Amino acid sequence: MQSGKKCESVFKFKHTLKTRIQNRTELKEKTLYITDLDGTLLGDDSRVSNGSQAMLNEAIAAGASFSVATARTPATVSSLLAGVRTKLPMVVMTGATLWDASTGMYEHTNFIPARDVERIIGIYRRIRFSSFIYTLRDNHLHIYHVGPLSEQEHEFMEQRADSPFKTFHIPADGESTLPGNLDNVVLFYGVRPTERAFEAHEAVKLETDCSALCYHDIYGPETAVAEVFAKESTKSRGVKTLAERTGATRIVAFGDNINDIPMLKSADLAVAVANCVDEVRAVADIVIGPNTDDSVARFILDDINRQNKS
């Protein structure tokens, strides 16, 4: 009889332990790791280092859900992340759309209303500001231009002229060809001297309801990027869509610049790299090492390993 009671106690203990383990597994959070590229994951040479690539692939193999949220288009993202084995879509063009590298398809695209496109073109012509106009049709980017082409814009276009991901429809004067259909515009992108860029930015904010960003990027303090998207387009929106798709219950986001702030504010853990701008540092939960030290990849690998051990 005593032996039977002992067996029964052992069975109850094992059953209770198994239930606790199952509950712990069910309660375990699924994390989506999402990072900006330039100034965050990429080094100063605008590449993913061999060290970062190896650590990211190790983290992904350990179960990490990893993707990027960037202002870049698939034309450069595809080559930059060619050695990283992520299977998730990427948030591109600052959240205007998602892009799936495995299928080559754009998803959840947010177009600027045609009436706002007309207003923005009118504003830029009035203040003599030049900008590229990105449209998306038939799953391909078609790029137009308003205003005369600057030398920097000529160089920008020539570097990307052979890309299979985009087609430029821009003549020598830079402006005589505009989109025939204004319903499929996803982005205005201008790189101009800082004062001019902020002038255009303020005009668009004042006269439209669009989402407008102006910030210094990799070009230096004398030059700023002026971007315009549909009202709902932010990296945060794209990341939330991706989190819903993957079933993530925890978002860890990494950034360094102004256009990363909405994403960082909406994340469960906002991580800034040491080289970030002050505005990003102010909203970050933690600050890690600089982009030149594989800091993002190292954090992700350490975090997924910690989760797997818990």
Side-chain angles (χ1 to χ4, degrees), residues 5 93 193 212 239 268:
K5 287 182 179 180
M93 290 185 274
V239 171
D268 296 288

Side-chain angles (χ1 to χ4, degrees), residues 288-306:
I288 58 176
N291 66 312
T292 53
D293 196 28
D294 298 326
S295 302
V296 170
R298 184 174 291 106
F299 183 97
I300 292 172
L301 181 58
D302 289 346
D303 193 64
I304 191 67
N305 285 339
R306 177 187 57 76

Side-chain angles (χ1 to χ4, degrees), residues 2-182:
Q2 208 168 19
S3 175
K5 287 182 179 180
K6 184 177 181 181
C7 288
E8 184 180 351
S9 298
V10 170
F11 173 80
K12 286 181 178 179
F13 172 76
K14 287 183 175 179
H15 179 72
T16 302
L17 181 61
K18 182 179 179 182
T19 301
R20 286 176 179 172
I21 292 172
Q22 286 175 338
N23 288 342
R24 181 187 294 179
T25 302
E26 289 171 1
L27 291 171
K28 194 172 185 178
E29 292 182 306
K30 181 176 181 180
T31 301
L32 171 63
Y33 299 97
I34 192 90
T35 181
D36 172 56
L37 286 178
D38 292 282
T40 306
L41 178 65
L42 305 185
D44 287 348
D45 59 354
S46 295
R47 294 182 181 276
V48 181
S49 73
N50 291 336
S52 282
Q53 181 175 296
M55 283 187 280
L56 288 174
N57 286 335
E58 185 179 345
I60 292 167
S65 294
F66 169 80
S67 190
V68 301
T70 177
R72 289 178 180 256
T73 69
T76 51
V77 174
S78 60
S79 58
L80 287 171
L81 295 180
V84 179
R85 294 191 288 272
T86 180
K87 294 181 174 61
L88 298 182
M90 304 168 191
V91 181
V92 296
M93 290 185 274
T94 316
T97 185
L98 303 185
W99 181 72
D100 191 332
S102 64
T103 63
M105 300 296 291
Y106 290 89
E107 306 172 7
H108 300 283
T109 304
N110 205 18
F111 294 100
I112 302 173
R115 64 182 182 278
D116 285 324
V117 173
E118 291 179 345
R119 285 184 191 138
I120 295 163
I121 291 173
I123 292 168
Y124 286 175
R125 283 177 171 165
R126 187 182 75 227
I127 67 174
R128 298 183 180 181
F129 183 80
S130 64
S131 175
F132 291 103
I133 304 171
Y134 284 69
T135 71
L136 180 60
R137 66 176 187 271
D138 301 324
N139 203 58
H140 186 80
L141 286 174
H142 296 267
I143 304 172
Y144 302 85
H145 192 267
V146 57
L149 280 167
S150 68
E151 184 177 340
Q152 188 175 32
E153 287 171 325
H154 268 294
E155 183 180 344
F156 177 91
M157 189 167 64
E158 287 173 2
Q159 290 173 349
R160 294 158 176 81
D162 296 328
S163 171
F165 296 94
K166 59 179 70 171
T167 301
F168 289 89
H169 304 271
I170 303 173
D173 68 4
E175 188 175 7
S176 61
T177 301
L178 286 174
N181 183 355
L182 300 183

Side-chain angles (χ1 to χ4, degrees), residues 245-309:
R245 174 170 171 162
T246 59
T249 55
R250 174 180 178 246
I251 297 172
V252 177
F254 304 82
D256 76 304
N257 214 331
I258 298 294
N259 64 344
D260 298 318
I261 289 177
M263 171 178 73
L264 293 171
K265 282 184 174 180
S266 64
D268 296 288
L269 182 66
V271 185
V273 286
N275 52 286
C276 68
V277 298
D278 290 341
E279 293 90 338
V280 167
R281 191 179 297 271
V283 301
D285 295 311
I286 59 173
V287 179
I288 58 176
N291 66 312
T292 53
D293 196 28
D294 298 326
S295 302
V296 170
R298 184 174 291 106
F299 183 97
I300 292 172
L301 181 58
D302 289 346
D303 193 64
I304 191 67
N305 285 339
R306 177 187 57 76
Q307 287 191 65
N308 288 340
K309 288 177 182 177

